[in-house]
Amino acid sequence: MPFQNPSRDEIGALLEKAGNIAVVGLSDKSDRTSYMVSQAMQSRGYRIIPVNPTAAGQQILGETCYASLAEVPEPIDIVDVFRRSEFCADVAREAVAAGAKALWLQSGVFSDEAAEIAGEAGLTVIMDRCIKVEDAVTGAGSRR
């Protein structure tokens, strides 16, 4: 059976409950999509936790950046992934090990292997959707 994203209602409920969003591949460059999306989510009341090994220890959007999900010292609700599809299975394994509740692959990113890894561990999986757009469409951020 091919992968199917959760319904808009389910996505809205996930976003309403989410507090901490770890963004894997968050760039420190303000002209990058990962930065703009994360900044918008932060302005809507979500806590953004940057994860990027090349920027580890630096501040991005006023938050400490970590090299990996394993280094994040607090609970993670959603792992939002700005990486190419071929890297997503490894990110899914890290998300499972970190105890995340959801794995979110941004627009244009698909990985059946990542979906299988995360899904089998009980994580909600969303692929090829922009978290910022879904937050706006479902109205979850406006209810924060």
Side-chain angles (χ1 to χ4, degrees):
M1 182 174 192
F3 176 82
Q4 189 170 357
N5 279 313
S7 70
R8 278 262 157 82
D9 288 342
E10 292 169 313
I11 290 172
L14 171 71
L15 288 167
E16 273 188 54
K17 293 176 190 167
N20 293 339
I21 302 175
V23 183
V24 176
L26 177 52
S27 176
D28 58 354
K29 295 173 179 63
S30 62
D31 63 337
R32 298 285 175 93
T33 302
S34 63
Y35 188 97
M36 290 183 277
V37 167
S38 296
Q39 186 176 45
M41 295 301 286
Q42 189 179 55
S43 74
R44 292 177 181 170
Y46 297 94
R47 167 90 188 285
I48 298 300
I49 303 170
V51 179
N52 183 335
T54 62
Q58 298 176 33
Q59 296 281 306
I60 301 177
L61 295 171
E63 296 283 349
T64 300
C65 184
Y66 298 93
S68 69
L69 290 171
E71 293 180 17
V72 175
E74 54 202 285
I76 299 169
D77 296 310
I78 299 173
V79 173
D80 187 19
V81 185
F82 283 90
R83 299 285 321 271
R84 291 194 320 254
S85 299
E86 61 264 28
F87 299 112
C88 290
D90 287 337
V91 175
R93 288 183 193 93
E94 284 189 41
V96 169
K101 295 178 181 78
L103 178 70
W104 193 302
L105 307 185
Q106 279 294 136
S107 297
V109 183
F110 301 89
S111 173
D112 289 331
E113 184 181 5
E116 187 175 321
I117 290 164
E120 285 180 0
L123 279 70
T124 300
V125 178
I126 298 163
M127 292 197 290
D128 188 34
R129 296 269 180 96
C130 176
I131 196 167
K132 176 184 167 207
V133 171
E134 293 299 317
D135 185 65
V137 170
T138 63
S142 64
R143 294 186 292 260
R144 296 190 80 59

